[in-house]
Amino acid sequence: QGMEGASSAQQPGKKIVWKPYVVNEMEYEASFPEKKSNTLSRDLIDYVRYMIQNHGENYKEMARDEKNYYQDTPKQIKRKINVYKNFYPEEYKEFIASLKPEKMDVQ
């Protein structure tokens, strides 16, 4: 009698524990409905790399760049960069490292 209306999710021991990274991945998937596979389009990668190369982490400048064909807001550009970072962490690291060899020597 007391069990009525209680869904299985609320029973102790049946609790679904979402790991934060799983939720994030699902949010990523949700925010990129056009992305069917686990790869990013070359266009997007070139776009992201161009922006980082020219503007570092200045998303406002990126949004003003004439190459911002997508008319992305700074927030949207940041999200694209993060997606690239998450899909290709190694490539991203190497790319970033390749950008500042001369600055590293200064210190």
Side-chain angles (χ1 to χ4, degrees):
Q1 139 96 21
M3 287 306 289
E4 252 180 317
S7 75
S8 61
Q10 285 161 330
Q11 287 174 25
K14 283 261 175 80
K15 251 216 184 92
I16 299 166
V17 180
W18 283 104
K19 298 187 177 72
Y21 68 86
V22 176
V23 175
N24 287 342
E25 275 180 3
M26 290 173 73
E27 280 169 8
Y28 272 130
E29 294 304 324
S31 65
F32 287 88
E34 76 279 5
K35 188 168 60 58
K36 304 279 189 297
S37 68
N38 282 344
T39 58
L40 299 180
S41 75
R42 211 57 239 180
D43 281 352
L44 180 65
I45 293 170
D46 290 341
Y47 170 78
V48 164
R49 289 167 71 118
Y50 167 85
M51 289 299 186
I52 296 170
Q53 209 162 352
N54 287 277
H55 305 293
E57 293 189 338
N58 190 331
Y59 305 110
K60 285 199 179 79
E61 267 183 28
M62 292 178 191
R64 284 195 216 108
D65 194 293
E66 71 211 6
K67 290 237 165 60
N68 179 10
Y69 325 107
Y70 306 103
Q71 301 292 299
D72 286 336
T73 64
K75 228 184 218 147
Q76 287 170 314
I77 294 174
K78 185 177 186 178
R79 192 197 288 153
K80 285 180 177 176
I81 291 172
N82 284 333
V83 169
Y84 172 58
K85 227 185 266 194
N86 286 348
F87 269 97
Y88 304 108
E90 290 311 310
E91 187 181 316
Y92 177 80
K93 264 190 231 130
E94 283 166 27
F95 174 60
I96 295 300
S98 75
L99 289 181
K100 17 187 170 185
E102 68 281 354
K103 293 196 184 94
M104 300 307 245
D105 297 337
V106 175
Q107 295 168 358

